[in-house]
Amino acid sequence: ALQRTLEGVHVAISAGGTREPLDPVRFIGNRSSGKQGYALARVAAQRGARVTLVAGNTADLATPAGVDLVRVGSAVELRDAMHKVAADADVVVMAAAVADFRPVSLSGHKIKKTSGDPDPISLTKNPDILAELVSARREGQVIVGFAAETGDETTSVLDYGRAKLQRKGCDLLVVNAVGDGKAFEQEDNAGWLLSKDGAETPIPHGPKTQVASAVWTRLPPACPSLSR
Ligand code: C5P
């Protein structure tokens, strides 16, 4: 049976990858498909939430029924859209793959081939949207982040996730392993759901809707006003 646990709740979700323009026709992008963010939106709508989905570049995905879609391109556009939507949201989920850097300058015309060596591309840091949203948090608002990690010799994926939860200051963080063909552009995902209160819930390997359900199921304890 469908649990309408999010009735009356407005959730804002970001999905997909940002594109950082170099000139009118070129950009720096990433391989995010948007599937995890869209799955979060679909499941939230099924559970009765009002859903605003802010999407960067994605695979060819159908907009889930009943979901308001806002399209953005660059990280700066995504930031502006998320601040606007978050001002009215009870829950904010940053599932988008935001570019860490953008080209310093945007050429007004198509960059021409040069006869000699090409000019290097200079980059500057993009804002950390999740950290900004945490700083601007409304009373009682729950903020959820994602962390796509690869472990290494000294630190596991889970430990990187724990550190990121602390650093970003969000309430919940979904940690998932990437690399070796995991997660990106895939139908399935797996990982852990880490909570500010120290709870750590493993999310078994399964469809991205299952990861989405784990997030929405965990919400009431994280957000007292939703424990009805
Ligand atoms: O630091 P890292 O990029 O691994 O953090 C991932 C989380 O932070 C995701 O929730 C992502 O959407 C968010 N993020 C952001 N702004 C950035 C980079 C990441 O909101 N510039």
Side-chain angles (χ1 to χ4, degrees):
L2 270 180
Q3 309 159 270
R4 308 272 300 175
T5 52
L6 298 176
E7 205 83 61
V9 175
H10 180 202
V11 308
I13 301 166
S14 70
T18 65
R19 288 179 160 185
E20 309 303 315
L22 282 154
D23 71 14
V25 296
R26 303 187 180 98
F27 57 82
I28 298 172
N30 63 65
R31 293 188 184 282
S32 172
S33 66
K35 286 175 183 168
Q36 185 60 71
Y38 272 61
L40 282 154
R42 188 175 322 112
V43 174
Q46 285 168 353
R47 291 187 176 208
R50 176 157 82 85
V51 181
T52 308
L53 179 59
V54 179
N57 181 253
T58 66
D60 188 14
L61 304 175
T63 307
V67 168
D68 286 326
L69 182 70
V70 178
R71 278 275 172 204
V72 295
S74 66
V76 169
E77 286 173 24
L78 175 60
R79 170 223 231 164
D80 292 347
M82 285 308 289
H83 278 291
K84 203 174 287 178
V85 178
D88 179 57
D90 302 294
V91 183
V92 178
V93 185
M94 279 298 299
V98 184
D100 292 317
F101 305 103
R102 68 175 179 278
V104 168
S105 57
L106 166 58
S107 169
H109 56 80
K110 189 178 164 195
I111 298 165
K112 296 295 182 203
K113 265 196 272 299
T114 50
S115 45
D117 288 338
D119 286 337
I121 297 172
S122 299
L123 300 175
T124 185
K125 251 200 172 103
N126 269 329
D128 187 325
I129 304 167
L130 178 57
E132 283 188 3
L133 292 167
V134 168
S135 298
R137 182 206 304 267
R138 302 167 57 199
E139 173 92 29
Q141 188 176 57
V142 177
I143 301 182
V144 185
F146 271 73
E149 304 287 351
T150 55
D152 53 44
E153 297 73 26
T154 56
T155 312
S156 66
V157 167
L158 182 53
D159 280 336
Y160 275 121
R162 288 171 175 143
K164 192 159 289 183
L165 174 69
Q166 293 301 318
R167 195 165 64 244
K168 300 259 182 180
C170 49
D171 301 284
L172 292 171
L173 188 82
V174 178
V175 189
N176 62 271
V178 293
D180 303 330
K182 290 194 195 105
F184 269 77
E185 300 171 296
Q186 302 299 308
E187 299 303 327
D188 289 8
N189 206 349
W192 293 267
L193 183 55
L194 309 183
S195 173
K196 194 163 65 175
D197 64 18
E200 300 186 344
T201 315
I203 304 172
H205 184 93
K208 287 181 172 174
T209 47
Q210 191 172 300
V211 175
S213 296
V215 171
W216 299 128
T217 298
R218 187 74 185 84
L219 218 46
C223 177
S225 65
L226 296 180
S227 309
R228 287 167 292 157

